């Protein structure tokens, strides 16, 4: 049976599932994050900006990851996307608090792009890798180039920033509890540094949670798992140790 949201994801690289999480569930997620900011890294200059990469690895946050990853709406949607093929969480999970984000894709980039050697992420046989992104407050900072997941893009941040300047950009408007489904290859960005500097902290903080799923047999997902393991070691050393 056709699924309009799945069709939109395949065509545009993004879709939104509305009101997936109830207000009480959102409040639980927000409280857990805000009570444990001391366990998160500081990757931006703003004093109220925090980030925890690979949050599923930490006992404090592991249950939150499980609640996101196993939500019936999320798993039902992913089953349609992957057409009943076995899929798994590939270790790309993030909590961000008041964090700016430049133009990028979520493929391995920079020094970690070497793990994609010999793999064409845009080959039709590779299969999609899908980010599940939960909004814990309303938001309209997510900007995306629709359809950008269908054509090869650089694995370099500076080149992606330049590419985005020549493309048509859409801005998504999200509500509390919405879940965005996004292809890892899609070109997108979040808030600017200026927008985040003006954002209030504390209870008014902008909090996003995400995790990524991909087919078990996909060579792309296997390469990303290996490359991300190296990236996590470096990230922990820079921001947590």
């Amino acid at each position: 049976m056709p699924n309009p949201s799945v069709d939109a994801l395949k065509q545009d690289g993004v879709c939104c599932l509305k009101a997936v999480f109830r207000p009480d569930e959102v409040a639980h997620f927000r409280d857990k994050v805000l009570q444990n900011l001391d366990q998160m890294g500081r990757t931006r200059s703003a004093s109220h900006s925090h980030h925890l990469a690979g949050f599923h690895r930490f006992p404090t946050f592991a249950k939150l990851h499980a609640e996101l990853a196993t939500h019936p709406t999320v798993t039902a949607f992913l089953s349609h996307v992957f057409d009943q093929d076995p899929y798994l969480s590939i270790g790309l999970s993030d909590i961000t608090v008041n964090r700016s984000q430049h133009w990028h894709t979520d493929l391995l980039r920079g020094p970690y792009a070497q793990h994609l050697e010999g793999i064409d992420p845009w080959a039709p046989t590779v299969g999609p890798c899908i980010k599940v992104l939960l909004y814990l407050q309303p938001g309209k900072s997510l900007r995306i180039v629709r359809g950008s997941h269908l054509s090869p893009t650089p694995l370099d941040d500076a080149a992606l920033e330049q590419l985005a300047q020549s493309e048509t950009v859409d801005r998504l408007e999200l509500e509390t509890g919405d879940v965005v489904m996004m292809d890892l290859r899609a070109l997108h960005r979040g808030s600017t540094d200026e927008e985040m500097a003006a954002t209030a902290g504390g209870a008014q903080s902008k909090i996003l949670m995400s995790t990524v799923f991909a087919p078990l047999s996909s060579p792309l997902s296997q390469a990303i798992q290996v490359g991300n393991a190296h990236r996590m070691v470096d990230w922990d050393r820079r921001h947590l140790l």
Side-chain angles (χ1 to χ4, degrees):
M1 185 174 181
N3 185 311
S5 295
V6 172
D7 292 342
L9 176 62
K10 292 179 178 179
Q11 176 178 318
D12 297 337
V14 66
C15 71
C16 178
L17 308 183
K18 305 300 292 184
V20 174
F21 285 84
R22 302 186 310 268
D24 63 303
E25 293 173 317
V26 168
H28 163 64
F29 277 57
R30 289 186 64 87
D31 288 346
K32 192 69 171 179
V33 172
L34 293 174
Q35 290 167 8
N36 293 281
L37 292 176
D38 60 326
Q39 298 186 37
M40 304 178 69
R42 303 286 291 278
T43 61
R44 297 291 186 267
S45 58
S47 61
H48 60 317
S49 177
H50 303 267
H51 178 205
L52 187 60
F55 76 92
H56 65 282
R57 301 173 297 154
F58 297 88
T60 300
F61 300 105
K63 190 171 185 294
L64 297 187
H65 182 268
E67 291 173 4
L68 174 60
T70 64
H71 191 285
T73 300
V74 170
T75 57
F77 182 87
L78 292 173
S79 293
H80 284 290
V81 171
F82 298 123
D83 196 22
Q84 305 304 320
D85 286 342
Y87 65 91
L88 77 165
S89 172
I90 63 173
L92 282 171
S93 68
D94 293 274
I95 297 174
T96 62
V97 182
N98 301 321
R99 185 172 183 265
S100 60
Q101 188 62 279
H102 51 69
W103 283 104
H104 66 290
T105 70
D106 290 315
L107 293 170
L108 296 170
R109 307 182 309 280
Y112 308 104
Q114 64 179 310
H115 296 282
L116 298 181
E117 290 180 6
I119 297 173
D120 178 4
W122 296 274
T125 56
V126 161
C129 300
I130 305 301
K131 173 184 274 190
V132 179
L133 176 61
L134 169 61
Y135 270 70
L136 297 178
Q137 64 286 306
K140 53 183 179 180
S141 61
L142 178 59
R143 282 153 265 190
I144 188 165
V145 177
R146 293 185 185 273
S148 55
H149 65 301
L150 298 174
S151 302
T153 52
L155 299 176
D156 173 79
D157 286 342
L160 287 170
E161 186 79 26
Q162 184 174 6
L163 175 63
Q165 309 312 311
S166 63
E167 300 290 341
T168 300
V169 175
D170 282 343
R171 184 190 295 259
L172 277 63
E173 294 197 15
L174 292 313
E175 300 297 333
T176 304
D178 288 353
V179 169
V180 173
M181 296 287 186
M182 186 187 304
D183 192 298
L184 234 58
R185 301 166 295 183
L187 181 59
H188 64 287
R189 74 159 302 148
S191 300
T192 64
D193 290 334
E194 293 75 19
E195 288 168 339
M196 279 297 91
T199 297
Q204 302 303 313
S205 290
K206 176 183 176 182
I207 306 173
L208 305 177
M209 300 179 63
S210 66
T211 191
V212 175
F213 292 90
L216 180 63
S217 60
S218 166
L220 177 59
S221 69
Q222 293 166 9
I224 290 177
Q225 288 179 76
V226 174
N228 186 58
H230 290 274
R231 186 176 71 92
M232 286 291 89
V233 171
D234 293 340
W235 194 93
D236 290 350
R237 185 182 300 117
R238 288 197 306 272
H239 303 298
L240 296 183
L241 299 180

